[in-house]
Amino acid sequence: MKRFIWYWLPVLLVAGGIFYSSATPYKQQDMRPTLSQFLNHEKIASIFSSVSFQYAGSEVSVEALGAAGFVEFFIRKCAHFSVYFLLGFLLFRVLRFYFSKGKTALFSFVLTVAYAASDEIHQHFTSGRSPHVEDVMIDACGGTVGILIAFLLYRRYFRSNP
């Protein structure tokens, strides 16, 4: 029971938080109105006016999205990276009880990417949300960094203690 509470429960809570977020329509998550109140639109436009790129078939720029939409885009992508960083780290942390270090890292990665892909499919059925392969790639990068840090920490500091 202790192992479940300390090791599996955090994984389930993070996965549940991801699922809940994906099930929430975009209109309820839209940060642009709040960001608009606090951003200096002219300053953001002047600093980032030359930044323009394609993401999932759409242009990302201050001109295309407005200052608030531009900032929101990066907040959302950082959230993708961060939450999957945490999921990958936590999966490595629990799976090390069941597998060797190499297999733990591999299974943690496979589960993280599989969950990211299933999350994007889930978003397809949520109002105002759409699935993007690019988001799965960001999630996979976050998960990989989390797994790598967990691998290094457990190798160096927690050799004898779980």
Side-chain angles (χ1 to χ4, degrees):
M1 187 63 162
K2 181 181 173 186
R3 184 177 288 178
F4 174 80
I5 291 171
W6 285 105
Y7 295 97
W8 279 108
L9 187 59
V11 170
L12 296 175
L13 289 173
V14 170
I18 292 168
F19 183 86
Y20 176 80
S21 179
S22 291
T24 306
Y26 176 75
K27 284 186 177 188
Q28 294 177 14
Q29 294 182 350
D30 189 356
M31 295 179 272
R32 292 173 301 176
T34 304
L35 289 171
S36 289
Q37 296 173 3
F38 300 103
L39 294 176
N40 182 333
H41 297 266
E42 293 79 26
K43 185 139 186 135
I44 289 173
S46 69
I47 293 171
F48 297 105
S49 63
S50 64
V51 176
S52 178
F53 58 93
Q54 293 290 312
Y55 187 87
S58 298
E59 180 182 344
V60 176
S61 67
V62 175
E63 184 179 338
L65 301 175
F70 185 76
V71 170
E72 181 192 47
F73 172 83
F74 287 101
I75 290 171
R76 288 183 173 281
K77 299 316 157 192
C78 285
H80 269 271
F81 185 92
S82 300
V83 75
Y84 280 90
F85 171 98
L86 184 58
L87 183 62
F89 184 94
L90 293 172
L91 279 169
F92 182 91
R93 185 174 162 254
V94 70
L95 293 178
R96 68 192 174 81
F97 289 111
Y98 305 100
F99 305 105
S100 65
K101 283 185 184 108
K103 286 183 181 178
T104 298
L106 176 64
F107 289 141
S108 299
F109 177 76
V110 168
L111 287 174
T112 300
V113 174
Y115 196 75
S118 70
D119 177 56
E120 291 300 312
I121 292 167
H122 177 227
Q123 282 185 30
H124 176 72
F125 301 103
T126 303
S127 175
R129 306 291 298 272
S130 55
H132 298 294
V133 171
E134 294 86 348
D135 286 346
V136 175
M137 293 167 60
I138 291 172
D139 299 340
C141 289
T144 300
V145 173
I147 292 163
L148 179 61
I149 288 174
F151 178 85
L152 294 172
L153 282 174
Y154 279 94
R155 189 178 82 187
R156 181 172 179 135
Y157 296 108
F158 303 113
R159 286 178 197 222
S160 60
N161 297 326

